[in-house]
Amino acid sequence: MLAVVFSLLGITVLILTVIVLVYVTGRYRRKNLVENVDVALGTTLRVSYYELLQAAKGYSESHLLGTGNLGSVYRGTLINGKDVSVKVFNLQQQNAFKSFDVECEVLRNLRHRNLCKVISCCSNPDFKALVLEYMSNGSLEKWLYSDDHMLDILHRINIMIDVAYALEYLHYGYSMPIVHCDLKPSNVLLDEDLVTHLSDFGIAKLLGKGESNAYTTTLGTLGYIAPEYGLEGSVSIRCDVYSYGIMLMEVFTRMKPSDEKFSGDLNLRSWINDSVPYAITGIIDSNLLGPKEHDTLRCLSSVMELALNCSMESASERVNMKEVVTALKNINFQLLA
Ligand SMILES: *[C@@H]1O[C@H](CO)[C@@H](O)[C@H](O)[C@H]1NC(C)=O
Ligand SMILES: *[C@@H]1O[C@H](CO)[C@@H](O)[C@H](O)[C@H]1NC(C)=O
Ligand SMILES: CC(=O)N[C@H]1CO[C@H](CO)[C@@H](O)[C@@H]1O
């Protein structure tokens, strides 16, 4: 009788223990799941949803760096002390999922000094974010148009050489050509040492093997996009060359393609085309004109000619990024001489 009672008791205890164990490990597993759903893609650092939330102080207004239509970018500090920027995708926007995938795909595989490095991707069904290196000196846009910043001619040339290196790498240095599609001064970021990093690959296009162009309905920024891209949605590496040409013009004239003086037949490109080479002093950013003016103007004239060669109406007449790198390095060399 006693033996039966004890063995029943024993079995009950055993069953209870098993139930408790199953419950505890289950909870533990679930907790672990919640904390580690984020995938660190091809990078060593893992950043959890919670750490990210803390890093950017709950995505507060004071940490907001900028807002685009696909999401917002915040400044944050990770537990290890590293400053980062966190790009949080706005998943209400239909394109945001695709854009996140493209940026992860593009950035995790690329390594180049002049591309913005991705530290981690955080991806849950209802939260997607990219953790990127923080660029303490902001964008080229900020430097060009703010009154308390001033980039001299060599800085500007070097920044544009670095952008050209980044594009040359995207176009020729990876297993398939990558078209950035949204080249403009606000997507060119400067780090602590003023080294240039091309950023924002949200609408970049990867071309398949042997494919020279692709079609898209997502447009880049008006004023910078090539005619065939704007009119037919046809993107190729030559679209980036066009945008690069427009950016060259903007960087040395400090005039935006969207400036109100441009309308009808007059645009940034035709304005410059009409002034090169004889009336160049009238278009160049006056901050760049000082002593040694004659040599400087000759170089600036070459820069504008190169910009026109980049932004030819017909895509097949445009130079390519390898030629751009060579030409700009020559001009830089002449400036230093
Ligand atoms: C640029 O200027 C040349 C003359 O110097 C002219 O023939 C050409 O049509 C102009 N191109 C544009 C796009 O304005
Ligand atoms: C621009 O293109 C013209 C015609 O192809 C060429 O002669 C000239 O050297 C080019 N200029 C620059 C700066 O690349
Ligand atoms: C030239 C310049 O202003 N560089 C600044 C870039 O950012 C670092 C850190 O914020 C500053 O210390 C530099 O002065």
Side-chain angles (χ1 to χ4, degrees), residues 269-270 273-274 276 313:
R269 189 180 190 280
S270 64
N273 188 53
D274 293 344
V276 169
E313 177 97 16

Side-chain angles (χ1 to χ4, degrees), residues 98 102 177-181 201 203-207 214-216 235:
K98 198 167 150 235
V102 171
I178 297 170
V179 189
H180 182 281
C181 289
F201 287 75
I203 62 169
K205 278 265 169 210
L206 284 78
L207 300 179
Y215 288 89
T216 181
V235 295

Side-chain angles (χ1 to χ4, degrees), residues 76-97:
T77 309
L78 298 181
I79 293 168
N80 65 10
K82 191 174 175 59
D83 284 331
V84 292
S85 51
V86 185
K87 181 171 180 180
V88 180
F89 288 76
N90 173 11
L91 299 182
Q92 310 297 318
Q93 285 283 335
Q94 239 187 351
N95 292 333
F97 284 93

Side-chain angles (χ1 to χ4, degrees), residues 208-256:
K209 290 230 158 55
E211 210 177 33
S212 67
N213 69 334
Y215 288 89
T216 181
T217 51
T218 318
L219 288 190
T221 309
L222 234 61
Y224 299 93
I225 58 175
E228 73 277 10
Y229 180 12
L231 293 174
E232 304 156 23
S234 164
V235 295
S236 66
I237 54 177
R238 294 180 190 274
C239 293
D240 281 348
V241 177
Y242 183 94
S243 310
Y244 182 87
I246 300 297
M247 231 175 90
L248 261 185
M249 298 175 187
E250 177 173 358
V251 165
F252 291 92
T253 59
R254 208 164 172 249
M255 187 70 81
K256 282 176 184 295

Side-chain angles (χ1 to χ4, degrees), residues 316-333:
S316 60
E317 288 175 41
R318 291 172 208 153
V319 290
N320 67 44
M321 287 319 295
K322 292 182 179 176
E323 294 167 314
V324 171
V325 166
T326 311
L328 268 189
K329 278 165 70 179
N330 272 333
I331 296 171
N332 190 33
F333 188 72

